[in-house]
Amino acid sequence: MELWRQLSQAGLVPPGLGPPPQALREVSPVEIPGQTLRTAGADTGGAWDSLLWIREELGNLRRVDVQLLGQLCSLGLEMGALREELEESSKEEENQEPQREQEEEHLEARPAPHPPDFEMMI
């Protein structure tokens, strides 16, 4: 959740949006290698297999959610950097506008050139 922390520190988390759910902030439960899940010997009629399948699918969904959250945080950080860059370039343009106005005023202050008057003698 390092990216989320960076996003929060940069002030890019929208107001009212709290932290990610605890399930996405915690480390995924890891099964102990060699551990097997057993029933008490009763015939469950396939229910146990269904529970194992559901557990596996929930784990897959959690991994996808964590990946998506990471991608959204990365995108938010990139957008923040682009926003700062855009603000800097607009400030530079604002600083250049008075110079352009002065140049335009200087050009307007000059009298417009008139064609020379020619006198012809015959």
Side-chain angles (χ1 to χ4, degrees), residues 39 42-54:
T39 61
D43 183 19
T44 58
W48 190 251
D49 291 335
S50 295
L51 286 174
L52 290 177
W53 177 82
I54 290 170

Side-chain angles (χ1 to χ4, degrees), residues 42-97:
D43 183 19
T44 58
W48 190 251
D49 291 335
S50 295
L51 286 174
L52 290 177
W53 177 82
I54 290 170
R55 182 177 183 207
E56 182 179 329
E57 290 301 310
L58 287 173
N60 291 339
L61 289 172
R62 182 186 182 283
R63 279 190 289 281
V64 169
D65 287 345
V66 168
Q67 288 175 350
L68 288 174
L69 180 62
Q71 290 173 352
L72 286 172
C73 290
S74 294
L75 182 60
L77 290 169
E78 287 181 36
M79 288 176 62
L82 289 173
R83 182 180 295 138
E84 287 178 15
E85 188 176 311
L86 181 62
E87 288 174 358
E88 287 176 10
S89 66
S90 66
K91 286 179 184 177
E92 288 175 5
E93 287 180 12
E94 287 175 4
N95 291 340
Q96 291 176 356
E97 271 186 38

Side-chain angles (χ1 to χ4, degrees), residues 3-19:
L3 289 173
W4 180 264
R5 188 181 58 74
Q6 291 175 6
L7 196 67
S8 295
Q9 287 178 345
L12 298 173
V13 176
L17 184 65

